[in-house]
Amino acid sequence: MTGTTFEQARKERQRPAHGLRTVDSHAAFFLPYLSPGMSLVDLGCGPASITAGLAEAVAPGPSTGVDLDPELPADAGGVRLVRADVCDLPFPDDTFDAIFACALLQHLPDPLRALREAFRIARPGAVIGIADIDTSCYLISPADPRLTAAFEVNAKLRAGNPQTGRQLRGLLHEAGFRRCTAQARAFHHGDPAQTQALAEYNATWFSTPAVVERVVAQGWATAEEMAEMSAAWAAWGQHPGAFFAGVWCEAIGWAS
């Protein structure tokens, strides 16, 4: 990634990982509320790997994916992609029967603004499903202060709040949705293949030149400290007892 900007580096790192997400892995909680013929929109769809699965659930109803930089899997069809800001959506009021957003709100400076836009485009009786992580619930062993520092740096690199997950039900209610419910589920990395893959993913991130430059320029860490964080992740991945777990929070609401 040498010579790339921070935003390019982030996309090159995250987009392949996001493309592995599916409707079963990240939107199973929303599927029971979908039915054929619904009009659906996925806000912040990214590579649209989840969108493609949602589209199958509502077909022959129309499905739309919205993102600042949307993509569509090669083997997916029936999804219309729209390049747009989720806080300023190019749709009329009362357009969609189902609205979805996964790992979107944590990246927004004003997540409530996006959800109010979602409420505006929701038809009366529409359902919304949102999912996001809450990084305060991470479990990691063995502990290492350099890994703690790495989590803190990553949080600062976000434009939004990495602890948005716990707020999902309240945000939906404040945006105008009703009968809102929320739940949480754990995910984990607990075998050699999983922990080594996670370690490599993070070690390379903290050694990416564009990332190091951003962090050093902001005064969040020195180049030497970033190198230590990268090395700590690599070492953690080789530890026979390495374990990592976190929490995804999910919420449902209704436009009624």
Side-chain angles (χ1 to χ4, degrees), residues 90-121:
F91 308 117
D93 296 356
D94 306 335
T95 299
F96 297 98
D97 302 304
I99 300 168
F100 182 74
C102 177
L104 168 68
L105 300 181
Q106 62 173 294
H107 297 292
L108 302 179
D110 188 357
L112 183 57
R113 181 180 172 188
L115 290 180
R116 283 175 171 156
E117 269 291 88
F119 184 78
R120 179 186 65 78
I121 64 173

Side-chain angles (χ1 to χ4, degrees), residues 45 78 90 104 107 115 122 130 135-136 173 189 192 194 214 221 237 246 249:
C45 68
L104 168 68
H107 297 292
L115 290 180
I130 56 176
T135 61
S136 67
H173 183 83
H189 302 271
Q194 293 173 344
R214 170 67 67 91
C249 300

Side-chain angles (χ1 to χ4, degrees), residues 39 41-42 65 73-74 90 94 112 123 171 177-178 189 213 218 252 254 256:
S39 175
V41 63
D42 182 2
D94 306 335
L112 183 57
R123 290 174 178 160
L171 286 169
F177 294 96
R178 293 297 176 259
H189 302 271
E213 291 171 8
Q218 293 294 326
I252 296 287
W254 303 86
S256 60

Side-chain angles (χ1 to χ4, degrees), residues 215-247:
V215 171
V216 172
Q218 293 294 326
W220 298 330
T222 65
E224 292 75 15
E225 288 169 335
M226 290 289 284
E228 290 174 0
M229 294 176 205
S230 178
W233 271 114
W236 176 85
Q238 297 300 316
H239 194 285
F243 178 74
F244 178 86
V247 170

Side-chain angles (χ1 to χ4, degrees), residues 39-135:
S39 175
L40 177 140
V41 63
D42 182 2
L43 302 178
C45 68
S49 54
I50 299 175
T51 322
L54 296 173
E56 292 181 6
V58 301
S63 294
T64 303
V66 177
D67 200 273
L68 291 174
D69 187 16
E71 296 177 11
L72 193 63
D75 59 348
V79 177
R80 177 175 67 123
L81 296 183
V82 175
R83 191 181 303 273
D85 185 341
V86 295
C87 293
D88 187 17
L89 294 169
F91 308 117
D93 296 356
D94 306 335
T95 299
F96 297 98
D97 302 304
I99 300 168
F100 182 74
C102 177
L104 168 68
L105 300 181
Q106 62 173 294
H107 297 292
L108 302 179
D110 188 357
L112 183 57
R113 181 180 172 188
L115 290 180
R116 283 175 171 156
E117 269 291 88
F119 184 78
R120 179 186 65 78
I121 64 173
R123 290 174 178 160
V127 63
I128 185 171
I130 56 176
D132 226 311
I133 204 164
D134 194 310
T135 61

